[in-house]
Amino acid sequence: MDTILVVNAGSSRVDFQLFGIAPQRELKRLIKGQVDGIGTNPRLRAENADGTPLADEIYRGTHMPDVPAALHQAAAWLRDAQKISPIAVGHRVVHGGPDYSGPVMIDDAVLAKLARYEPLAPLHQPNNLAPILSIRSRFPDLPQVACFDTAFHRGHSAIADHYAIPEELYAEGVRRYGFHGLSYEFVASRLPQVAPDIAGGRVIVAHLGGGASMCALKAGRSIESTMGFTTLDGLPMATRPGHIDPGVLLYLLQRKRMSSSAVQKLLYTGCGLKGLSGISSDMRVLEASWDPRAALALDYFAYRVGQHAAMLAAALGGIDGFVFTAGIGEHSATMRARIGRYLEWLGVELDAAANAVPAGRISAAGSRVAVYVVPTDEELMLARHTLDLLVARLGQQIEKERIA
């Protein structure tokens, strides 16, 4: 069976999954794995589709000093231990800038453009591109596909897309992009099956995890997002502040005499739940804590989700459904309940018993707005896009041969 490898790389972790291509282009998940602790205490773990462990190996930090080395080790394990050589690799790339409104086959020109967006997603973009470069150096003929978190939002109206700044800055690419698009795209594709009552209507999807944002869907299409030019905007996150007055940044630069790199580090790694609580960036740790600072961080997070829901409801002209997804959205019943209280004025009423269950409809029978928990699957979305481009490329090759 031909296979597709999908890769989602961070600064100290590489997640990978392998999908088999069954008849009628059906994708079958075969292996799910990760390498974490890169550069310190690397560990490769993998399991098959039913959760049976396939690997759990620990390495010296010097054996995997960076993301390319970790991916190389994972590829070697797939090749040597599993006898698998994928026919293509799909990558999550956070920022596609103004150039890309859909997945693309990677070549030198594409890589050059994507490298320009590294300052807009400094935690993500360099690490997204590192495995692409590594694979190209070792296997230059292996097709690779870039799938963008910004692409799903590229159909926004000019009003939603602009900041109130001079037009020449917009022309340079300073605009509201939105992120987590692969997650929203997957949820939108699932709604007709799991929530047909709201799939064609006005839906707010809350992707709540270490990175958090919300998206307004109308008939399955993104019309507005809480994130903008970078992944700093919108909701508070594990270590990022979300919406903040630009004057605060001027204060840090001018009055506190912080360098731009110090401000960048603060905004990406020292704010959010971590900065507000002074305890942890992990929602589970905060929910288990009796410290009043943890309670403040939790209430702040829920309050801001409710506040941004109002903004998205205004963009939609009302809402028919609300969907929780991603790590916090799927697994924290207590946070869903906290958020639900801020959504009551919109017509949301949660069913406490249903909310304790990790998926499905969690709104009460009399709720004017249907509320669901829908698990996301960005990796499957990556595999779908990669397969679609492979098929399109094959069709183009056949057409060229026919003409010739």
Side-chain angles (χ1 to χ4, degrees), residues 191-251:
L191 288 182
Q193 290 78 47
V194 301
D197 52 324
I198 62 172
R202 302 162 300 177
V203 180
I204 295 174
V205 183
H207 176 105
L208 308 179
S213 71
M214 298 164 69
C215 175
L217 296 179
K218 182 175 285 187
R221 296 184 59 197
S222 171
I223 68 161
E224 183 59 276
S225 170
T226 58
M227 277 185 169
F229 183 52
T230 72
T231 57
L232 288 170
D233 201 8
L235 301 178
M237 294 163 251
T239 61
R240 286 170 268 168
H243 175 74
I244 190 169
D245 184 340
V248 174
L249 310 185
L250 296 177
Y251 174 82

Side-chain angles (χ1 to χ4, degrees), residues 45-226:
R45 285 174 284 184
E47 60 187 32
N48 65 17
D50 64 9
T52 302
L54 296 174
D56 190 348
E57 302 176 13
I58 298 174
Y59 304 85
R60 295 190 307 274
T62 54
H63 188 76
M64 291 188 208
D66 51 27
V67 167
L71 184 63
H72 177 66
Q73 186 63 47
W77 175 79
L78 285 170
R79 182 182 64 249
D80 299 337
Q82 302 298 311
K83 310 302 180 187
I84 290 173
S85 295
I87 63 170
V89 185
H91 299 266
R92 178 194 178 210
V93 178
V94 165
H95 217 304
D99 297 303
Y100 300 110
S101 59
V104 294
M105 282 285 182
I106 295 168
D107 57 24
D108 290 338
V110 169
L111 279 172
K113 287 184 177 180
L114 297 182
R116 297 207 309 262
Y117 308 132
E118 289 187 7
L120 307 186
L123 290 187
H124 302 91
Q125 198 85 348
N127 296 305
N128 297 158
L129 301 184
I132 297 173
L133 294 167
S134 177
I135 291 172
R136 278 174 66 81
S137 69
R138 290 186 171 95
F139 307 100
D141 296 326
L142 181 64
Q144 296 190 79
V145 174
C147 304
F148 304 104
D149 263 341
T150 50
F152 186 63
H153 305 293
R154 288 300 309 281
H156 286 181
S157 68
I159 291 175
D161 210 27
H162 275 71
Y163 290 107
I165 57 177
E167 184 65 20
E168 57 263 28
L169 290 173
Y170 178 86
E172 291 176 14
V174 183
R175 60 187 72 177
R176 299 186 70 252
Y177 290 100
F179 297 88
H180 295 128
L182 291 165
S183 175
Y184 293 127
E185 185 179 9
F186 178 80
V187 170
S189 74
R190 287 287 293 151
L191 288 182
Q193 290 78 47
V194 301
D197 52 324
I198 62 172
R202 302 162 300 177
V203 180
I204 295 174
V205 183
H207 176 105
L208 308 179
S213 71
M214 298 164 69
C215 175
L217 296 179
K218 182 175 285 187
R221 296 184 59 197
S222 171
I223 68 161
E224 183 59 276
S225 170
T226 58

Side-chain angles (χ1 to χ4, degrees), residues 10-25:
S11 59
S12 62
R13 172 171 168 163
V14 174
D15 292 316
F16 64 92
Q17 293 193 26
L18 193 79
F19 290 83
I21 306 173
Q24 285 76 52
R25 292 170 53 189

Side-chain angles (χ1 to χ4, degrees), residues 380-392:
L380 180 56
M381 211 69 242
L382 288 170
R384 286 176 179 171
H385 286 313
T386 302
L387 179 58
D388 287 345
L389 282 189
L390 281 179
V391 171

